[in-house]
Amino acid sequence: MIIPGVEKELHKLPGFCEGSGSVLGVQTHVDCRSFLGHKAVYRMGFAMAAFFCLFAVLTVCVRSSKDPRAALHNGFWFFKFLVLVGITVGAFYIPDGTFTSVWFYFGVVGSFLFILIQLVLLIDFAHSWSQRWLREASESNAKGWYAALCTVTFVFYAASIAAVALLYVYYTKPQGCTEGKALISINLLLCLVVSVVSILPKIQEAQPHSGLLQASLITLYTIYLRSSDHPQVNKLMLTEEGGSGPGPGEAAEPGPHRAYDNEQDGVSYNYTFFHLCLLLASLYIMMTLTNWYRPDESLQVLSSPWTAVWVKICSSWAGLLLYLWTLVAPLVLPDRDFS
């Protein structure tokens, strides 16, 4: 939608550009060809979000495949694609008005929530990674695992230091840029705090597997967002990998295999949460494709507002605070099992 060829064709849609009474709530008759692709991405994002929101509502409290609504999730693919196409086409005929301006803030909130989900997965991944390597090191009594831990930790911290230096070089100036300097410095200070806390004796006693590997990974995240991998998504969705395969002690039967219903007693994952994650992902992709830009009041320039900056800053702070909580939680709540 944002490549020049497609953007040129969008101008032919009736009412999509010329003839609209207002854009972003501003009465105007200017030529909006400069951001047609931007508007199209917003409408496609709206269509995807509306589609997944619809199915999130339709699958609320589905406990097993015996619920008739489970068929809506697992079947009727032709009709679901038809519904998606219909919503997408209809989205392009939404009157301009304040749609783009309002939907921008929906995208901001949805993207922030999606980033928080990634943060939970990242923290879980960091702990699992460290525990696995330390377990391998203790069981095999090999120094290679410890060397690998030290090497990866050093690389992560080196990359983080280099990235922070580049942030100061490219996003600040010797005179001025006070906000940028303050935000970068706060992030740097928080990274130092979580790194020191992760190796405190009390923390080590409560969580023997905590260490600088996790802290270095979380530190690097404050510079760059990491996407979750499939096994970590399975953890969040409460699914089991290979759930439809043979159980313990069962041999796989030879010959062709047929799909069967393994959710008659209970669903393998929460259908509603599944669709909500895809809804938030749609909004996040929408904001990423548009680079968090929106037209300014003159409708001639696409600008990145401070709202987008604060979303990214707050997400990095949330990641550091969430990781800090995983370190101190066993000390604050000693009666709970955090294993």
Side-chain angles (χ1 to χ4, degrees):
M1 289 295 168
I2 56 179
I3 62 177
V6 177
E7 198 169 34
K8 182 179 179 181
E9 294 298 317
L10 290 173
H11 189 263
K12 299 178 182 179
L13 289 178
F16 192 55
C17 180
E18 294 178 349
S20 58
S22 64
V23 180
L24 301 182
V26 181
Q27 296 295 327
T28 181
H29 299 285
V30 301
D31 186 2
C32 65
R33 282 178 293 183
S34 59
F35 54 89
L36 273 180
H38 177 277
K39 291 174 61 178
V41 171
Y42 266 44
R43 277 160 172 74
M44 292 198 71
F46 171 81
M48 295 293 292
F51 176 80
F52 290 121
C53 181
L54 172 64
F55 280 91
V57 173
L58 291 177
T59 56
V60 168
C61 296
V62 172
R63 304 298 183 188
S64 70
S65 61
K66 297 177 182 178
D67 192 315
R69 294 175 297 158
L72 295 174
H73 176 80
N74 296 308
F76 297 100
W77 293 102
F78 173 78
F79 297 101
K80 286 195 285 193
F81 280 114
L82 201 62
V83 169
L84 177 58
V85 170
I87 296 175
T88 304
V89 172
F92 278 82
Y93 290 91
I94 297 176
D96 269 326
T98 58
F99 172 78
T100 307
S101 179
V102 173
W103 192 242
F104 169 83
Y105 290 103
F106 273 92
V108 167
V109 174
S111 300
F112 180 74
L113 294 176
F114 182 73
I115 291 173
L116 286 183
I117 292 175
Q118 292 193 68
L119 285 167
V120 175
L121 298 175
L122 176 69
I123 293 171
D124 177 73
F125 170 77
H127 282 296
S128 300
W129 184 4
S130 179
Q131 290 175 8
R132 184 176 300 177
W133 280 21
L134 287 174
R135 183 173 62 249
E136 292 287 345
S138 60
E139 291 177 356
S140 63
N141 198 23
K143 296 182 179 179
W145 289 104
Y146 292 108
L149 272 171
C150 294
T151 302
V152 172
T153 301
F154 174 79
V155 169
F156 282 168
Y157 273 120
S160 301
I161 294 171
V164 169
L166 291 175
L167 288 176
Y168 277 115
V169 170
Y170 288 103
Y171 289 94
T172 64
K173 296 179 181 179
Q175 304 296 330
C177 294
T178 307
E179 297 89 349
K181 293 176 182 177
L183 293 175
I184 297 172
S185 300
I186 291 173
N187 267 11
L188 181 60
L189 180 61
L190 290 174
C191 291
L192 290 174
V193 169
V194 296
S195 298
V196 172
V197 170
S198 67
I199 57 174
L200 290 177
K202 286 288 186 180
I203 299 296
Q204 289 286 313
E205 182 180 346
Q207 291 204 72
H209 295 291
S210 68
L212 290 177
L213 175 62
Q214 300 97 306
S216 64
L217 182 58
I218 300 301
T219 298
L220 189 60
Y221 175 78
T222 62
I223 311 301
Y224 182 78
L225 290 179
R226 192 182 164 280
S227 57
S228 58
D229 59 11
H230 184 67
Q232 300 308 310
V233 173
N234 285 340
K235 287 185 179 182
L236 185 64
M237 300 298 295
L238 304 179
T239 63
E240 296 181 1
E241 294 184 53
S244 59
E250 299 179 3
E253 297 181 359
H257 292 267
R258 296 185 61 188
Y260 65 95
D261 186 358
N262 64 341
E263 294 186 316
Q264 291 183 349
D265 297 327
V267 294
S268 299
Y269 57 94
N270 188 306
Y271 289 174
T272 296
F273 188 66
F274 171 83
H275 289 292
L276 287 177
C277 284
L278 292 178
L279 186 160
L280 298 177
S282 301
L283 296 175
Y284 179 75
I285 292 173
M286 179 186 77
M287 300 305 294
T288 302
L289 287 177
T290 58
N291 205 22
W292 300 78
Y293 284 177
R294 63 175 179 177
D296 63 4
E297 292 184 358
S298 67
L299 305 177
Q300 299 298 317
V301 179
L302 289 173
S303 60
S304 182
W306 268 95
T307 306
V309 177
W310 278 110
V311 167
K312 297 172 185 178
I313 291 296
C314 291
S315 66
S316 64
W317 291 349
L320 292 169
L321 294 176
L322 279 172
Y323 174 63
L324 186 62
W325 170 248
T326 64
L327 294 176
V328 302
L331 298 177
V332 178
L333 303 171
D335 297 331
R336 290 189 59 183
D337 180 16
F338 290 92
S339 61

